[in-house]
Amino acid sequence: MKDMPEFPWEVILPHRKRAAEHPDGIVNLAMGEPVDPTPGPVREALARAADAPGYPPTEGSPELRAAAAGWLSRRHGVRVDPSAVLPAVGTKELIAWLPAMLGAGPGDLVAFPRLAFPTFDVSARLAGADSRPVASPLDLAGERPKVVWLNSPSNPDGRILTVAELRELVAWARERGVVLADDECYIEYGWDRRPPSLLDPRVCGDSHDGLLAVYSLSKRSNLAGYRAGFCAGDPHLVRRLLSVRKHAGHAVPGPVQAAMVAALDDDTHVDEQRARYARRREVLSGALRSAGFTIEHSEGGLFLWATRDEPCWTTLKDLAERGILVAPGTFYGTAGERHVRIAFTATDERIAAAAGRLA
């Protein structure tokens, strides 16, 4: 294992403290944490399953695997056998440990986007492998990474990879025997267009060989506190992950598995949440543009990638003076040094407060 970087959210604590001094309180748009209620049917399912004296199945209950496969087919046109689904204790832990669970180690390379959630870099460090941010995996030329991470829609800049772009990446990875893994936690939140999955048959044909996609219920269903997610894809890779996770004790608690079934079987609450976020996105993006910001990309996900063409720490400091906390772009790589990431996951009241302060 290599040394860990400084934990990002601890770096901005002084700015959080300054923002909290605003007379009307802080507007925290830094983390993108869900604030709306967990759907009623999900909470009811959790309560019904609360009597759980036995160990939960690491592979997930048959009902959970079927619900995940059904959701992928119904919402995203992806056909997977339920046996090719594996639940995770929140997808952040799955992402962090995936290269190590697939056998990556010293001398191996793990690549990820040059603008990326820090856990992709951490995943290489935990395995003792080398990590490298890249503009595109195609730039790696003759190299053969152990794992290449994608993230579409992207965190932080909201880019959505097209079917053609994903298809080219799949062909490149298969030619080299590279595992291609896509973090698709924001796949329900495409604004300008619908995000395709890495597992979409238009992308990969009738085979998921060498491919894994990671899905989170935290943002989709307001389940961040449940730590609920899963991956799906290549059955051989899923079996390997399952074997490691059985030995490591990485099992999702039984009541949470029951709650996941209820969440995945219901689309109504997702459409309602999309509508909430769409309203907040419109209010906040309009206020930012009126205040002189340029918003780039941001066609998917739950963030606005914004710039005033100045160092991100200057922007962060200025907004904290107004009681608004955002994330500096350098959290996501040196390519973000003149941008900030601004979440629109706060309540309607707090989004309105931010818009007022920007004005």
Side-chain angles (χ1 to χ4, degrees):
M1 180 190 300
K2 297 187 176 182
D3 290 341
M4 293 294 105
E6 190 171 10
F7 192 63
W9 303 113
E10 294 176 356
V11 177
I12 62 171
L13 284 177
H15 298 282
R16 177 171 182 157
K17 181 179 178 181
R18 180 69 186 96
E21 294 171 355
H22 190 279
D24 188 36
I26 189 173
V27 178
N28 191 341
L29 306 180
M31 287 192 67
E33 185 173 13
V35 297
D36 299 299
T38 299
V42 176
R43 286 180 280 162
E44 292 162 10
L46 182 78
R48 286 194 300 270
D51 184 13
Y55 293 112
T58 306
E59 68 272 21
S61 69
E63 295 81 6
L64 172 54
R65 295 180 114 180
W71 169 74
L72 283 168
S73 174
R74 185 176 70 250
R75 297 285 278 193
H76 306 294
V78 169
R79 300 296 183 111
V80 298
D81 190 274
S83 64
V85 170
L86 182 62
V89 189
T91 51
K92 186 174 182 179
E93 67 89 0
L94 178 65
I95 291 168
W97 290 105
L98 187 138
M101 289 190 288
L102 293 180
D108 290 321
L109 174 63
V110 174
F112 50 87
R114 67 191 185 106
L115 277 172
F117 192 60
T119 309
F120 299 128
D121 173 49
V122 167
S123 77
R125 293 173 185 248
L126 287 172
D130 297 325
S131 65
R132 187 181 307 168
V134 294
S136 168
L138 304 179
D139 297 338
L140 292 169
E143 295 186 81
R144 289 184 54 185
K146 189 76 172 183
V147 176
V148 169
W149 282 109
L150 306 176
N151 180 203
S152 177
S154 165
N155 176 8
D157 67 351
R159 290 176 185 253
I160 297 175
L161 294 173
T162 66
V163 168
E165 288 170 326
L166 288 170
R167 188 165 52 230
E168 184 178 19
L169 291 169
V170 168
W172 174 89
R174 285 177 170 169
E175 286 175 2
R176 292 159 178 77
V178 173
V179 173
L180 196 60
D182 192 6
D183 176 9
E184 300 182 0
C185 75
Y186 300 106
I187 196 168
E188 294 274 22
Y189 296 115
W191 305 110
D192 300 337
R193 54 194 170 90
R194 190 172 184 85
S197 170
L198 180 67
L199 306 181
D200 189 312
R202 296 174 298 166
V203 169
C204 60
D206 59 1
S207 168
H208 293 152
D209 288 353
L211 309 178
L212 287 169
V214 179
Y215 303 98
S216 170
L217 275 69
S218 293
K219 307 300 198 302
R220 175 193 181 273
S221 300
N222 298 333
L223 293 187
Y226 285 50
R227 310 313 304 133
F230 66 93
C231 69
D234 185 330
H236 172 74
L237 295 176
V238 170
R239 284 194 296 271
R240 176 162 186 166
L241 293 173
L242 174 59
S243 176
V244 174
R245 294 175 74 80
K246 282 182 174 179
H247 284 290
H250 285 186
V252 176
V256 174
Q257 293 193 31
M260 291 173 68
V261 173
L264 289 165
D265 280 346
D266 177 57
D267 298 328
T268 301
H269 75 272
V270 182
D271 294 335
E272 292 172 348
Q273 189 63 47
R274 270 186 60 87
R276 292 187 192 104
Y277 284 146
R279 291 193 302 269
R280 295 165 186 169
R281 179 177 183 264
E282 182 176 3
V283 170
L284 191 57
S285 60
L288 286 164
R289 290 189 176 101
S290 295
F293 283 85
T294 298
I295 297 172
E296 298 181 354
H297 310 299
S298 306
E299 61 255 31
L302 298 178
F303 310 101
L304 298 172
W305 189 237
T307 181
R308 289 192 308 202
D309 197 24
E310 64 186 6
C312 62
W313 292 99
T314 301
T315 309
L316 174 68
K317 183 176 184 292
D318 175 63
L319 291 177
E321 293 288 336
R322 307 188 203 191
I324 303 170
L325 186 67
V326 300
T330 50
F331 276 7
Y332 311 97
T334 56
E337 62 187 6
R338 300 185 77 80
H339 290 75
V340 291
R341 193 197 73 172
I342 306 175
F344 47 87
T345 55
T347 63
D348 291 346
E349 185 274 331
R350 288 288 84 186
I351 293 292
R357 295 175 194 184
L358 287 165

